[in-house]
Amino acid sequence: MKLKKWFEISLQNLVLLGIVVAMDVVLSKISFGPATVQIGLGFIGSVMLGYFFSPVWSAIGGGVADLVTSAIFGQQGGFFIGFTLTAMLGPMIYSFFFYQKPIKIWRIVAAVLLVTVIVNVFLNTLWIHIMYGLDFRAALIQRAPKELIVPWIQMVVIYFVLEALSRVKIKK
Amino acid sequence: MSIKFKNVSYVYSPDSPFEKKGLDNVSFELKENSFITLVGHTGSGKSTLMQHFNALLKPTKGEIEIAGMTITPETSNKNLKELRKHVSLVFQFPEAQLFENTVVDDIAFGPKNFGYSEEEAKDLARKWIKKVGLPENIAERSPFDLSGGQMRRVAIAGVMAYSPDILCLDEPAAGLDPKAKKQMMDLFKEYQEEGHTVILVTHNMDDVAEYADDVLVLEKGKLVKHDNPENTFADSNWDRTHSLDEPTPSIFADKLSGYHFDKNPLTLDDLVAGIKKNLKR
């Protein structure tokens, strides 16, 4: 019963999905911080998808956002379907934790850690390994420092983003 | 002190295929504590000019003196906070920038950003809720629960709360009902009379006639006239060739045949007085 509900979407929400996908595309182009640890804002788009939409539609939104980004801006190192998959998986995981659920610290921590480990550390490293034949362990070690620092910053940001989103959602 | 623009030019995306001239060698001097209006056709560079007042855009060429600071093409983004405390912009449809939980928090955001304490900022916010003509009990409500006109007032209160010396408004009354519009315009006039500078971007020539001391007319990025309202609207031929409308009373006066006006009536009061004089003759 719940699964069926995940597939339903009203026209109004479909339009909202389009807007959030567009925001995701724009946010993913922005990054800030000192040159050593640049933090991209794409994760905010993923969180918004996950917060507003069911896991199914979050994943679709994430996939479309990745395709649109590739189409408009091109992808560094060429297009690879694996990254579209990971772009779908991130919002989906966030959706499992945030969609129609109260905002709790543990949810944020768990969601970010899961996304970091599965998406950023494991899968994205795997794609690089497949694309360039780079040794998996070497690629992993190269990415490790960033993935140790960034999630904690993301958690804080996500907390404030969710607080703000919940305010907007209450009003009609 | 005055606001001085010296040969200011601005080019969007220079050295690219999208290069476009926004401002072209603009020079003028504005007296502080006056009510200035900025008029011109859509795309004439009004908004570009307005964004120069607090250095959201920096001139590609030339120099700006404003609020005791000098802005040149080399001015860095640091130290601009002080400038923005003195020179504020109210963008078109400013209600889009509301975001806080409550109305009072939203208005207090600006003052807090410019160094007021939490307490002071909230007191100011409450004061300004009244000043812009909102009921006091609105303070603790969410800004998103309000009507469009009320949201507009909250946003404008947020920009005026820290009393900037120079207030730039981009069509602040667009889409308001006539009474609310009059109220807002009177608020700005009153603010100017308290000793601040108000710069108003508008398409409404009746407002120019009613409130302005000084008019800047832009056309295709160039400043084509800088004068008081009487002189600006003195020559209707010139106005027409520069796609500038005249205030309604002066259009009406033109259509009256056999009437003679000592001066071109710009406001309704002038027009009525002028017609009375004619009838007595």
Side-chain angles (χ1 to χ4, degrees), chain B residues 4-121:
Chain B
K4 260 187 228 163
F5 274 56
K6 284 183 212 153
N7 306 92
V8 172
S9 296
Y10 185 80
V11 180
Y12 285 100
S13 356
D15 304 322
S16 81
F18 304 107
E19 183 174 299
K20 194 179 175 297
K21 241 185 193 155
L23 288 179
D24 191 358
N25 202 14
V26 171
S27 301
F28 57 82
E29 188 172 344
L30 301 172
K31 272 213 295 286
E32 289 206 4
N33 305 344
S34 53
F35 201 111
I36 298 134
T37 51
L38 196 52
V39 298
H41 212 244
T42 309
S44 60
K46 301 188 297 290
S47 299
T48 310
L49 182 64
M50 196 174 106
Q51 289 176 64
H52 277 80
F53 284 122
N54 75 354
L56 278 180
L57 298 178
K58 273 162 262 169
T60 312
K61 251 190 258 156
E63 198 178 286
I64 301 167
E65 270 174 45
I66 187 166
M69 279 185 75
T70 308
I71 301 158
T72 62
E74 290 82 30
T75 304
S76 80
N77 280 331
K78 283 179 180 171
N79 316 320
L80 285 182
K81 195 162 177 173
E82 193 57 29
L83 175 69
R84 284 169 190 163
K85 189 178 169 180
H86 295 295
V87 187
S88 289
L89 306 188
V90 175
F91 293 104
Q92 225 171 65
F93 302 110
E95 56 270 30
Q97 70 199 27
L98 300 177
F99 73 105
E100 280 276 12
N101 263 332
T102 63
V103 167
V104 68
D105 283 341
D106 212 300
I107 300 176
F109 177 81
K112 275 195 285 188
N113 193 22
F114 291 121
Y116 286 81
S117 74
E118 184 83 29
E119 281 299 296
E120 289 172 319

Side-chain angles (χ1 to χ4, degrees), chain A residues 163 167-168 171-172, chain B residues 99-101 144-145:
Chain A
E163 285 281 304
R167 289 203 299 256
V168 178
K171 73 107 203 179
K172 260 287 170 295
Chain B
F99 73 105
E100 280 276 12
N101 263 332
F144 301 110
D145 291 341

Side-chain angles (χ1 to χ4, degrees), chain B:
Chain B
M1 269 203 307
S2 58
I3 303 166
K4 260 187 228 163
F5 274 56
K6 284 183 212 153
N7 306 92
V8 172
S9 296
Y10 185 80
V11 180
Y12 285 100
S13 356
D15 304 322
S16 81
F18 304 107
E19 183 174 299
K20 194 179 175 297
K21 241 185 193 155
L23 288 179
D24 191 358
N25 202 14
V26 171
S27 301
F28 57 82
E29 188 172 344
L30 301 172
K31 272 213 295 286
E32 289 206 4
N33 305 344
S34 53
F35 201 111
I36 298 134
T37 51
L38 196 52
V39 298
H41 212 244
T42 309
S44 60
K46 301 188 297 290
S47 299
T48 310
L49 182 64
M50 196 174 106
Q51 289 176 64
H52 277 80
F53 284 122
N54 75 354
L56 278 180
L57 298 178
K58 273 162 262 169
T60 312
K61 251 190 258 156
E63 198 178 286
I64 301 167
E65 270 174 45
I66 187 166
M69 279 185 75
T70 308
I71 301 158
T72 62
E74 290 82 30
T75 304
S76 80
N77 280 331
K78 283 179 180 171
N79 316 320
L80 285 182
K81 195 162 177 173
E82 193 57 29
L83 175 69
R84 284 169 190 163
K85 189 178 169 180
H86 295 295
V87 187
S88 289
L89 306 188
V90 175
F91 293 104
Q92 225 171 65
F93 302 110
E95 56 270 30
Q97 70 199 27
L98 300 177
F99 73 105
E100 280 276 12
N101 263 332
T102 63
V103 167
V104 68
D105 283 341
D106 212 300
I107 300 176
F109 177 81
K112 275 195 285 188
N113 193 22
F114 291 121
Y116 286 81
S117 74
E118 184 83 29
E119 281 299 296
E120 289 172 319
K122 289 216 167 157
D123 287 346
L124 271 180
R126 281 176 215 284
K127 193 179 104 191
W128 276 93
I129 288 176
K130 262 187 280 174
K131 270 198 153 180
V132 294
L134 290 168
E136 278 170 71
N137 61 17
I138 223 168
E140 301 300 331
R141 283 172 60 189
S142 161
F144 301 110
D145 291 341
L146 308 178
S147 74
Q150 287 174 323
M151 286 167 81
R152 174 82 54 91
R153 289 162 199 232
V154 172
I156 289 176
V159 178
M160 293 173 78
Y162 47 91
S163 304
D165 300 331
I166 300 166
L167 180 68
C168 310
L169 304 142
D170 195 349
E171 301 241 28
L176 288 184
D177 63 81
K179 196 176 156 220
K181 191 191 146 194
K182 174 101 176 58
Q183 223 174 4
M184 293 310 306
M185 293 301 298
D186 287 343
L187 177 74
F188 301 138
K189 186 71 192 164
E190 192 187 309
Y191 188 74
Q192 179 249 323
E193 279 162 0
E194 281 168 11
H196 304 93
T197 311
V198 172
I199 301 172
L200 178 74
V201 174
T202 184
H203 285 287
N204 188 329
M205 297 307 150
D206 292 353
D207 288 344
V208 176
E210 184 98 16
Y211 298 100
D213 305 318
D214 208 3
V215 187
L216 293 172
V217 186
L218 285 171
E219 190 180 40
K220 292 178 185 154
K222 283 195 173 78
L223 182 70
V224 288
K225 198 160 218 172
H226 176 203
D227 216 326
N228 58 22
E230 286 86 52
N231 294 337
T232 308
F233 296 118
D235 181 359
S236 51
N237 266 332
W238 188 90
D239 293 342
R240 225 168 290 129
T241 51
H242 292 80
S243 41
L244 195 67
D245 292 326
E246 282 181 272
T248 327
S250 97
I251 296 175
F252 186 81
D254 271 349
K255 296 211 166 130
L256 289 174
S257 54
Y259 279 71
H260 172 75
F261 292 93
D262 296 335
K263 60 171 184 132
N264 188 12
L266 296 181
T267 65
L268 205 54
D269 291 344
D270 286 353
L271 181 68
V272 171
I275 291 176
K276 268 188 188 161
K277 229 181 189 175
N278 272 291
L279 292 177
K280 271 180 203 154
R281 239 189 309 250

Side-chain angles (χ1 to χ4, degrees), chain A residues 1-10 54-57 99:
Chain A
M1 21 122 279
K2 204 178 173 194
L3 201 66
K4 205 182 151 201
K5 251 180 136 181
W6 279 358
F7 283 92
E8 287 171 1
I9 191 165
S10 66
S54 67
V56 173
W57 285 101
Y99 178 59

